[in-house]
Amino acid sequence: MRKVVTLSFFSVFLMACASTDTAEVSVEEPIQYLDLTLDDKKKLIDDYWVVEKKQEPKYPISAARKGLSGCVDLIVGIKSDGKSGGYKVKKSYPKGVFDKYAADALNNWKWVAADKNGNSVPVLTTIQLDFMVSGSKNKAEAEKQCGFSHK
């Protein structure tokens, strides 16, 4: 009886393996992004996508305790469905302090195609997220590195 159960199990297992060998595997085509990351093309983003939902990044407690301000400049892919297609940190100050918090917030953003973008063309663009705390110890350097001013 034990041999029959064992053989039955193995035959079902082999049939299951055989049936998966013939299954078609779908491969997603890479997204062809329109590159709007260069300085002379940055303002074109408004012709393609409008932010519908924006989430402000959380401020890391460790940075607040140290009195740090800074920024993260990200290259972001906006897919044809208006969701983030990923990101790459272009520049951050202070390096690595705010990166995760900026990325976490950006992953919750949602865009809608602008009127001129009827085909919902996916684009690459840059977005800078700023992290400011009043009385920051690195105020002058943060303003210089990030291009903002705060009081």
Side-chain angles (χ1 to χ4, degrees):
M1 178 71 173
R2 185 178 227 169
K3 288 181 184 178
V4 173
V5 172
T6 304
L7 287 175
S8 297
F9 174 77
F10 281 118
S11 62
V12 169
F13 177 76
L14 288 174
M15 287 178 8
C17 289
S19 67
T20 59
D21 289 344
T22 60
E24 289 185 32
V25 177
S26 72
V27 178
E28 251 185 67
E29 290 292 319
I31 298 172
Q32 299 297 316
Y33 289 100
L34 176 62
D35 189 353
L36 301 179
T37 60
L38 299 175
D39 288 338
D40 62 336
K41 293 186 177 182
K42 281 183 183 180
K43 293 188 179 190
L44 292 175
I45 187 64
D46 295 334
D47 291 342
Y48 290 90
W49 295 97
V50 178
V51 177
E52 179 182 58
K53 176 187 165 200
K54 183 186 276 191
Q55 179 179 322
E56 294 299 322
K58 292 181 181 177
Y59 198 96
I61 293 171
S62 60
R65 286 185 181 141
K66 294 175 185 174
L68 296 177
S69 289
C71 61
V72 181
D73 194 10
L74 301 148
I75 297 174
V76 181
I78 303 173
K79 300 186 304 183
S80 59
D81 63 1
K83 295 180 181 176
S84 172
Y87 71 92
K88 180 179 180 182
V89 175
K90 182 178 175 184
K91 177 185 123 181
S92 67
Y93 175 81
K95 192 160 184 67
V97 173
F98 301 108
D99 297 11
K100 178 189 176 312
Y101 297 89
D104 287 348
L106 193 65
N107 283 330
N108 292 308
W109 284 33
K110 175 86 171 135
W111 292 265
V112 292
D115 291 339
K116 294 180 182 178
N117 189 11
N119 294 331
S120 299
V121 174
V123 300
L124 288 177
T125 189
T126 58
I127 296 174
Q128 179 174 305
L129 297 177
D130 297 328
F131 296 80
M132 297 178 276
V133 63
S134 61
S136 68
K137 295 176 182 177
N138 66 338
K139 178 182 175 183
E141 188 62 21
E143 288 177 347
K144 179 181 171 186
Q145 293 289 326
C146 300
F148 62 72
S149 71
H150 67 284
K151 298 175 183 176

